[in-house]
Amino acid sequence: YYLYIFKWQWLISSLFLAFTVAAGVAILLKPPVRTATAKILLKGDRLPLQISGLSTAVGNKLPFSPQIMQSEVELIKSREVMLPVARRLLTRDGKLESNIGADEIEAMILSLGRNTFAVPLPDTSVIQLTYSAPTSKEAENTLGLILDQYLEQQAAIQSGSNKLLSFYEQ
């Protein structure tokens, strides 16, 4: 075995060196991706209505079930949240909303969805939201827009559920 290794040591060394240099060049040429991260804490008193079959188990100290946490993740990445954010991003350069085509909006929504990562942290009531962009400033601004729109959607949902609760009480 040693004879073969020593016989081919130059080939083995040159292949190792070639692959190492190629990997190094690929790492250097790859554009940096910056991320911004936020954590959303869901309060236990936030949901006034219990959803049938999704109530927390007896003895569970967490206020929300995994299904409810996942529905919050889906709300963050939903079209209702991403569409206004896409419009704001497309119009921030002074472009009129009437000049923006539906295909541009759809492309921006897809881009926002691909770069947004929402994950419920295990055994907590916290959702970690991360957005990736070419610059850290762009990542922070876009994440801020997504969070603002999520809070608006959440407020609309809560106001609707309070109206529904008062309707049932009447």
Side-chain angles (χ1 to χ4, degrees):
Y1 294 115
Y2 295 116
L3 180 62
Y4 289 112
I5 292 175
F6 286 119
K7 182 177 179 182
W8 298 103
Q9 79 182 21
W10 292 108
L11 178 64
I12 294 170
S13 299
S14 61
L15 284 176
F16 174 75
L17 185 62
F19 283 116
T20 304
V21 168
V25 168
I27 289 172
L28 290 175
L29 293 179
K30 183 180 177 186
V33 176
R34 307 289 187 230
T35 60
T37 302
K39 291 184 180 172
I40 302 168
L41 173 64
L42 303 177
K43 290 181 156 184
D45 61 348
R46 201 183 57 131
L47 291 176
L49 298 176
Q50 287 294 326
I51 300 172
S52 175
L54 295 180
S55 61
T56 56
V58 176
N60 188 358
K61 296 181 181 177
L62 296 176
F64 300 111
S65 68
Q67 293 92 348
I68 292 175
M69 294 294 286
Q70 189 59 37
S71 70
E72 290 298 317
V73 168
E74 293 301 321
L75 176 63
I76 292 169
K77 296 186 80 166
S78 70
R79 185 173 180 81
E80 288 80 17
V81 171
M82 295 300 178
L83 179 63
V85 173
R87 286 186 177 145
R88 285 185 202 165
L89 289 174
L90 289 171
T91 58
R92 72 176 169 195
D93 298 331
K95 199 174 192 181
L96 296 174
E97 194 169 333
S98 59
N99 294 343
I100 299 172
D103 55 339
E104 266 186 289
I105 292 175
E106 289 301 319
M108 181 60 79
I109 290 172
L110 286 174
S111 174
L112 288 168
R114 271 187 259 119
N115 294 325
T116 304
F117 305 99
V119 178
L121 298 180
D123 299 328
T124 66
S125 296
V126 176
I127 296 174
Q128 182 171 324
L129 183 61
T130 304
Y131 185 79
S132 302
T135 65
S136 58
K137 181 81 170 156
E138 183 181 344
E140 288 176 20
N141 291 339
T142 305
L143 182 62
L145 290 173
I146 292 170
L147 286 172
D148 290 343
Q149 192 58 41
Y150 167 72
L151 291 175
E152 285 181 29
Q153 285 295 319
Q154 200 51 254
I157 290 169
Q158 291 300 316
S159 67
S161 63
N162 288 337
K163 291 176 186 175
L164 184 62
L165 183 61
S166 64
F167 170 76
Y168 281 126
E169 286 175 352
Q170 290 176 357

